[in-house]
Amino acid sequence: MNHVNDKENQNNEVEEMDTQEVETVETPNDAGGGDGGGENRQINGEAQEQNISQDAEMEEDEARSEATFRYTVQNFSKLKESQLSPSCYVRNLPWKIMVMPRTSQTADRQTQRSLGFFLQCNGESESSSWSCYATAELRLLSSKEDTEPFSRKIQHLFYSKENDWGFSHFMSWQEVLESDKQYVKDDSITLEVHVVADAPHGVSWDSKKHTGYVGLKNQGATCYMNSLLQTLYFTNQLRKAVYKMPTESDDSSKSVALALQRVFHELQFSDKPVGTKKLTKSFGWETLDSFMQHDVQEFLRVLLDKLESKMKGTCVEGTVPKLFEGKMVSFIKCKNIDYTSTRVETFYDIQLNIKGKKNIDESFHDYITTEMLDGDNKYDAGEHGLQDAEKGVIFASFPPVLHLHLMRFQYDPITDCSVKFNDRFEFYEKISLETYLQNPEPTRADYTLHAVLVHSGDNHGGHYVVFINPKGDGKWCKFDDDVVSRCTKQEAIDHNYGGHDDDMNMTVKHCTNAYMLVYIRDSEIKNVLQEVTEEDIPQELVERLQEEKRMEQIRRKERNEAHLYMSVQVLLEDSFDGHQGNDLYDPDRALYRIFRVRKQTTLQELLEMLADSLKYPIEQIRPWPFSYRSNQTCRPTLIDIEADLHKTVIDVAENQNPWNVFVEVVPPDSGLQALPSFDKDSDVLLFFKLYDPKTKRIHYCGHHYMPVAAKVQELIPLLNERAGFPPDTELVLYEEIKPNMVERIENYNEPLEKVLEELMDGDIIVFQKDERDVMYDLPTCRDYFKDLFHHVEVTFCDKMIPNDPGFTIDLSQRMTYDQMARAVAQRVGTDPYLLQFFKCQNYKDSPGHPLRCTFEGTLKELLVYCKPKTPKKIFYQQLNIRINELENKKQFKCLWVGPKLKEEKELILYPNKNGTVADLLEEARKQVELSENGSGKLRIEEIPRDELNLAEDEMLVPVAHFYKDIFSTFGIPFVLKVKSGEPFSKVKERLMKKLGIQEKEFEKFKFALVVMGRAQFITDESDYHINLMDFRCNPNQVSASPKPWLGLEHINKAPKRSRFNYLEKAIKIYN
């Protein structure tokens, strides 16, 4: 049970809540659970009598948003255990009063008896997924006339673990018994609750039935998108145009237009909440994007741009600007001369400042308030020179549908992040914008509120809902993702002004407020909200969406029934041709014929299906399922067809799914009417491969049934015939036992069962000509398979190309560095010594440390760093100098700076490891273009001529930019020549010229001498003269201490180097 503990001084504040399990007893009650009292109450704008008995309540009434109900506790003095009232239904959920005696200790350790009073919601439900937010007033009624009840308020999100909420110390027992208030009459008390509840989530709330509309499912942090989509959907003229966009030839998964048509169509005709996954997928969003809280204004603009582009050249071209485009005039008007500069701009929305503004009128006044350009900020009027002027905007026209973004989220320079302003800001159902127009328009700029988009929470997240007035008639609905409910005008407008708790009643959280408003021009309201009928939707679109739905139902049925089916993957003998590895085929590359069959299908039915599909009579096919042996090989095995014919496929397959089967068929040119018989006791199925050492290739040579007692010699004529050799050709035979294990068969006069190790169906014999005298790289198939065992596919990716897919080469794990470099160089078309290789970082797909060209290990040792179960990767880069030279050099990255101290390019220099700074500068000289009249000397900027030779009273001083903290330097540091005794004003002139900064900007700079990590600001610049001793190191200083330098303190206006921050990623709709 969840309750509120009172403090010593009883007050009406909701205090800390805890949980306690209490045994509850339902007690009969004369008063019943119906609504007490004779007063009227407002529900969804209609007055309803409260004294209706619960049994007679209509089903629609049970969906009401608020109710008042009572419960009378009889024999109050004998109350020992908790009691529950009968149910009162609000939002289709049962609500009950829970009452109990409680004891607690006072501050002086005295035991105090109290009345516990709680409101319970959906207490008997076993579901754990429901929730319902409600506010309520709990009242103890007095039997004395004209006496106010004792009441306290609560607000709570009710859910399965906290399904009751209230006060364990609602009132002390003594105070209840007080005779002057007359709470007790005839040993009974009457408790009353007035509850106001939102529509619940996670229960069967029928939005369509209660409102006529359906919601949108939330698929992540995109519920503002749902709010926006509902707003656009109820802009009926736009919905009509969206339906008419031509999408017949659009890709179903990539077309934004088709996805929006689909969402709109489902919103109009579906009875259940509509999903948006296909829509966000059509945007080209990855999963992460769905959870990124994109800026709503940006999202709206991008989406409308997409629609506008799609509508071009169609019958609905221009709908978007016609509905949403207004015009404003930006002007600068000179005060002392007759000169005005104007520019007309279009807008699709208006951003209104709300900080410090009471209401929408003040924000519009602020928007058109002019700014004076005078003093240092005069306007440059061209030939008229600098002039005093006023700058501002005025509206030329307002659109039929006006989107107003309230700037609740703004950048705060103090915290350096976005903050949300929850200030109270009033807006109205009707507004007039006539006074903000430059000239009156043909119709008045009077507007009616159509939608209020609301955010609860702070700038880091929260929840979004939208209140919409669908027909513009003042009947509002609340769209909270998948739940839609009717609401009052007050809930839609007044409750969303924002403000803090003292500004508003406790039913609204202060962080809940409007962030976007949609108004419709009164003169256009009938047109914008025109009814959209089935006739307005092109028949082709309806048919396409119906077909999509039909296919989805089939796919859903397949998914739901997937556990009843299995896959039988069939291979015919031609699948074994060309296979160069162990066993008969590569499971990862095989082209199976896949049959989806019910697991309860019999083997007989499967054979009939195969015969029908392969176009062979059933007696001309025989299945041989593949089976994994204990020695890591996969070979065909026998099915006892007679015994297993009526067994189910899943039993025969021993629960393998998919089940791989070799189906033997009669060879087309054999003339046989049926496959030869096979005796499982005396015959064995053998497969044959020919190895050609000349080409280092394996050739598949079919299969054969052989009696197990037959001698090996009997195979020779058959194998010569299969290989196309003369009958008397001498052959060498091997048995392929497992990977890297091929044994030669020595005795040809012994029977097969003795010669072959553990003779089984599916054994493979590899043969080749007996050519002992000829020299080959891999002379025997044993050598071939040993080499194959060490083969590995390696992908080489260019380190300098982001996400380079690279190329794949088949290499031996026993290769040396040189062999690998030659193979890659041949593929890339370069010299092996102009390549540098990098191992993968441990279990990452990124380059690690460079590999030395003297590496003495094998390729196998380089691949251990790759992520398991992924393609093996090695990174490389092409060099300009040979790798053996590079390894004796040191890589330096330097920025080449131009005369104006602007970065021009990045240099990568390679001086010798034991080289000097002079060598580094010499390397740089080769890569840069020097200025015509320069000195030709470098310090990774070209040294100006006047800094080459310094007099005794001159010095080069280091200069750097910083802001507030001297350790937070930015920009490009440089050196400046100063002269002993010269006034600081002259130094400033040279600095301004060197940096190329405007005088007005330079005035904001402050100057400091930075010595030993401390800044000594030059306060009186006119009196300060350069003293070279200030810039020399103190002889007593540690040698590693930095030299003194001149600091320029100012704000860093240069754009920061971009760092990836997904929360700031621009919104993009890719398709």
Side-chain angles (χ1 to χ4, degrees), residues 601-620:
T601 303
T602 63
L603 182 60
Q604 171 78 39
E605 290 166 338
L606 175 64
L607 290 174
E608 287 170 2
M609 189 189 299
L610 293 175
D612 181 57
S613 175
L614 299 172
K615 305 287 186 282
Y616 280 90
I618 201 162
E619 62 274 8
Q620 292 187 7

Side-chain angles (χ1 to χ4, degrees), residues 950-957 976-982 1009 1024-1033 1043-1044:
L950 299 174
E952 280 186 16
D953 61 346
E954 291 178 336
M955 184 179 188
L956 291 179
V957 174
L976 183 76
K977 186 171 84 170
V978 295
K979 190 178 176 75
S980 181
E982 75 172 318
L1009 289 176
Y1024 179 69
H1025 288 68
I1026 295 294
N1027 181 356
L1028 297 187
M1029 292 306 295
D1030 291 343
F1031 295 99
R1032 290 206 168 100
C1033 289
K1043 281 176 68 175

Side-chain angles (χ1 to χ4, degrees), residues 38 129 205 249 283 285 442 593 655 687 720 935 1039 1044 1069:
S129 61
W205 174 262
S249 56
F283 294 161
W285 287 6
R593 299 179 187 214
N655 289 317
F687 290 86
N720 276 326
S935 65
S1039 59
I1069 295 178

Side-chain angles (χ1 to χ4, degrees), residues 840-1064:
C840 262
Q841 282 193 49
N842 278 6
Y843 296 106
K844 285 187 186 172
D845 253 356
S846 55
H849 296 299
L851 201 60
R852 294 187 69 83
C853 64
T854 52
F855 177 72
E856 291 179 354
T858 61
L859 179 60
K860 184 177 182 179
E861 292 166 50
L862 298 180
L863 299 178
V864 294
Y865 300 101
C866 297
K867 281 168 78 175
K869 297 184 181 175
T870 58
K872 307 292 186 191
K873 246 183 207 181
I874 290 179
F875 292 85
Y876 72 92
Q877 74 173 351
Q878 297 193 51
L879 305 172
N880 294 322
I881 59 173
R882 292 171 71 82
I883 182 71
N884 50 350
E885 291 177 31
L886 175 70
E887 287 176 358
N888 292 319
K889 293 179 180 287
K890 173 80 177 166
Q891 187 187 75
F892 269 83
K893 282 191 180 177
C894 308
L895 288 177
W896 169 250
V897 175
K900 291 286 183 192
L901 299 180
K902 298 281 190 290
E903 288 181 26
E904 291 200 357
K905 66 175 176 179
E906 186 177 79
L907 308 179
I908 300 177
L909 308 175
Y910 294 97
N912 286 329
K913 282 184 177 174
N914 55 359
T916 62
V917 175
D919 296 331
L920 183 72
L921 296 176
E922 198 50 46
E923 282 286 320
R925 180 196 292 279
K926 297 172 189 173
Q927 294 195 31
V928 297
E929 261 185 59
L930 301 178
S931 55
E932 282 184 28
N933 300 315
S935 65
K937 301 282 174 66
L938 304 181
R939 55 174 175 239
I940 313 299
E941 60 171 300
E942 189 177 359
I943 302 171
R945 280 184 179 278
D946 64 335
E947 292 180 10
L948 264 181
N949 301 307
L950 299 174
E952 280 186 16
D953 61 346
E954 291 178 336
M955 184 179 188
L956 291 179
V957 174
V959 186
H961 307 263
F962 73 97
Y963 182 55
K964 291 185 179 176
D965 179 3
I966 57 162
F967 299 105
S968 300
T969 56
F970 59 86
I972 296 167
F974 56 97
V975 291
L976 183 76
K977 186 171 84 170
V978 295
K979 190 178 176 75
S980 181
E982 75 172 318
F984 191 65
S985 56
K986 286 201 170 182
V987 176
K988 280 175 62 178
E989 281 176 25
R990 287 207 304 283
L991 278 170
M992 189 170 82
K993 186 177 176 185
K994 190 171 183 90
L995 293 170
I997 292 174
Q998 296 288 328
E999 187 175 348
K1000 189 177 170 187
E1001 190 65 34
F1002 195 66
E1003 284 171 4
K1004 297 174 186 174
F1005 281 43
K1006 291 180 186 172
F1007 305 90
L1009 289 176
V1010 183
V1011 183
M1012 294 290 288
R1014 288 188 176 181
Q1016 301 164 12
F1017 282 92
I1018 301 169
T1019 49
D1020 196 347
E1021 294 171 8
S1022 57
D1023 283 356
Y1024 179 69
H1025 288 68
I1026 295 294
N1027 181 356
L1028 297 187
M1029 292 306 295
D1030 291 343
F1031 295 99
R1032 290 206 168 100
C1033 289
N1034 190 324
N1036 302 323
Q1037 268 179 236
V1038 182
S1039 59
S1041 298
K1043 281 176 68 175
W1045 50 281
L1046 178 63
L1048 314 182
E1049 199 224 15
H1050 60 100
I1051 294 171
N1052 180 11
K1053 291 195 173 178
K1056 290 181 182 175
R1057 291 181 181 271
S1058 63
R1059 284 184 297 175
F1060 181 69
N1061 178 351
Y1062 74 83
L1063 289 174
E1064 295 173 3

